[in-house]
């Protein structure tokens, strides 16, 4: 009986597909929130085909984009001002809805990842 229950559980969870319409989020204007150590960091950004311009704490930062696939992108800061900004950032879209997406990101080559949510501002 336990084996039957286990088989049913596996069958039901294996049929569940996470929605990821990543191409809907390759361009546009967005607002994002990331929570790190119980502190919420908010920013607004505009993403174009090959660049992204982000405003955070009244500072503007621009990055070149290199899409690995429809759901993963590498950000390279255009004019880095310090060593930390010289590191590329890898972002992966995990799930999407009609107006937002959840993502994880980290510096390229690092294993520690952060998660956040971005919301579309222009429809």
């Amino acid at each position: 009986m336990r084996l039957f229950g286990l088989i049913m559980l596996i069958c039901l969870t294996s049929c569940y597909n996470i929605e990821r319409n990543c191409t809907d989020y390759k361009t546009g204007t967005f607002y994002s929130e990331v929570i790190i150590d119980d502190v919420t960091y908010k920013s607004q950004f505009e993403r174009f085909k090959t660049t992204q311009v982000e405003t955070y704490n009244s500072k503007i930062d621009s990055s070149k984009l290199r899409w690995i696939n429809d759901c993963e992108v590498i950000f390279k800061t255009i004019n880095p001002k310090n060593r930390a900004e010289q590191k590329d950032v890898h972002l992966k879209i995990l799930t999407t809805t009609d107006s937002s997406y959840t993502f994880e990101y980290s510096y390229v080559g690092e294993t520690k990842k952060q998660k956040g949510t971005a919301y579309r501002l222009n429809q």
Side-chain angles (χ1 to χ4, degrees), residues 15-25 71 93-103:
C15 295
Y16 178 71
N17 287 329
I18 296 173
E19 182 179 354
R20 287 197 334 168
N21 296 320
C22 301
T23 55
D24 294 347
Y25 296 98
C71 296
I93 297 174
L94 302 173
T95 62
T96 63
T97 68
D98 61 339
S99 61
S100 68
Y101 64 90
T102 58
F103 61 91

Side-chain angles (χ1 to χ4, degrees), residues 10 31 67 71 113:
I10 291 171
Y31 160 79
W67 288 92
C71 296
K113 297 185 185 319

Side-chain angles (χ1 to χ4, degrees), residues 62-74:
S62 300
S63 299
K64 292 181 184 177
L65 305 180
R66 181 172 53 89
W67 288 92
I68 299 169
N69 58 47
D70 285 342
C71 296
E72 296 181 69
V73 63
I74 303 291

